[in-house]
Amino acid sequence: GAGVSQTPSNKVTEKGKYVELRCDPISGHTALYWYRQSLGQGPEFLIYFQGTGAADDSGLPNDRFFAVRPEGSVSTLKIQRTERGDSAVYLCASSLGDRVNEQFFGPGTRLTVL
Amino acid sequence: AQSVSQHNHHVILSEAASLELGCNYSYGGTVNLFWYVQYPGQHLQLLLKYFSGDPLVKGIKGFEAEFIKSKFSFNLRKPSVQWSDTAEYFCAVNVGDTGRRALTFGSGTRLQVQP
């Protein structure tokens, strides 16, 4: 079956601009996660959705970052007033149910802020 | 907050050599443990996981890991590596008794297997 998909695969933007990154989870997965991976580091948790609601947004670095999942499937990560330090690979993952389980990762969106 | 340490940043082995990658975490309570692998040009994939029970866990492609609670460790092993095992390996921890679902990852170990 189809895995987690993310679009775009690459995004180049200028400092101060607004960007949206999209994630399509595996069909039927109620849990969705966003992580950010900087060069030479492991993924860093940003936010977790269970269904439509953000169950844990403790990893969002500041109020420029926001994510939604209005229908409990597709999610969009939104970054306002981008900064060069936001450059990273943004990973989306999904998993079954509301218990700890294997998280299936997408290919990521590489964001470059010039 | 919990942290995960992977002390080997870059490991170079010849084919058929044995592999052990270290992973230590800092949380003292109940944990769920994972090893993920990222092959060149591919996305993260699960190698194995530990939730409870037998502390020796077997995963895909001949990998195994042992949970040693007293040492806060979850080291990854493979008796004989292949060239196709060249990849980056990430250890990840979920704190099991807080209700959180987030994974905390180590910084990764890049494994290079020479033919």
Side-chain angles (χ1 to χ4, degrees):
Chain A
V4 177
S5 62
Q6 293 185 244
T7 54
S9 55
N10 279 284
K11 176 70 177 178
V12 180
T13 191
E14 293 178 343
K15 180 176 178 297
K17 298 290 188 183
Y18 167 83
V19 297
E20 289 190 351
L21 312 179
R22 176 189 167 106
C23 171
D24 275 275
I26 293 172
S27 177
H29 281 192
T30 58
L32 184 146
Y33 308 79
W34 284 99
Y35 293 83
R36 176 169 71 173
Q37 187 173 17
S38 301
L39 196 62
Q41 300 297 316
E44 176 189 19
F45 170 73
L46 295 176
I47 187 170
Y48 153 61
F49 288 88
Q50 184 58 243
T52 61
D56 182 356
D57 64 358
S58 62
L60 295 178
N62 51 59
D63 61 6
R64 295 187 297 106
F65 289 74
F66 189 71
V68 295
R69 195 185 184 199
E71 297 178 357
S73 179
V74 170
S75 176
T76 305
L77 178 66
K78 307 180 181 194
I79 311 175
Q80 298 178 320
R81 305 182 304 280
T82 52
E83 299 178 357
R84 292 195 180 88
D86 298 335
S87 296
V89 176
Y90 288 81
L91 298 170
C92 178
S94 68
S95 68
L96 276 171
D98 60 356
R99 294 179 180 273
V100 174
N101 213 331
E102 174 185 355
Q103 295 180 21
F104 293 82
F105 283 81
T109 293
R110 182 175 299 278
L111 175 66
T112 303
V113 183
L114 301 177
Chain B
Q2 69 276 12
S3 64
V4 179
S5 297
Q6 292 183 245
H7 302 294
N8 313 105
H9 298 295
H10 189 192
V11 173
I12 303 173
L13 295 174
S14 298
E15 275 192 314
S18 64
L19 170 72
E20 181 160 4
L21 301 182
C23 173
N24 288 90
Y25 60 92
S26 63
Y27 188 69
T30 302
V31 290
N32 300 300
L33 300 159
F34 304 80
W35 275 98
Y36 278 84
V37 61
Q38 187 165 27
Y39 297 105
Q42 298 188 25
H43 56 274
L44 282 164
Q45 302 171 42
L46 184 71
L47 267 182
L48 48 79
K49 61 188 177 188
Y50 171 80
F51 289 171
S52 63
D54 187 345
L56 185 60
V57 180
K58 294 195 183 298
I60 61 171
K61 304 186 180 186
F63 286 90
E64 65 178 30
E66 185 175 12
F67 170 49
I68 302 179
K69 188 173 182 178
S70 61
K71 294 185 177 180
F72 299 88
S73 71
F74 190 55
N75 291 356
L76 181 71
R77 300 195 292 250
K78 185 171 184 177
S80 176
V81 295
Q82 301 173 312
W83 178 79
S84 58
D85 293 324
T86 294
E88 187 145 22
Y89 293 80
F90 294 93
C91 180
V93 175
N94 164 264
V95 290
D97 50 8
T98 64
R100 295 194 71 219
R101 298 290 175 260
L103 297 180
T104 299
F105 283 83
S107 57
T109 297
R110 185 172 300 277
L111 173 65
Q112 184 178 346
V113 180
Q114 296 176 331

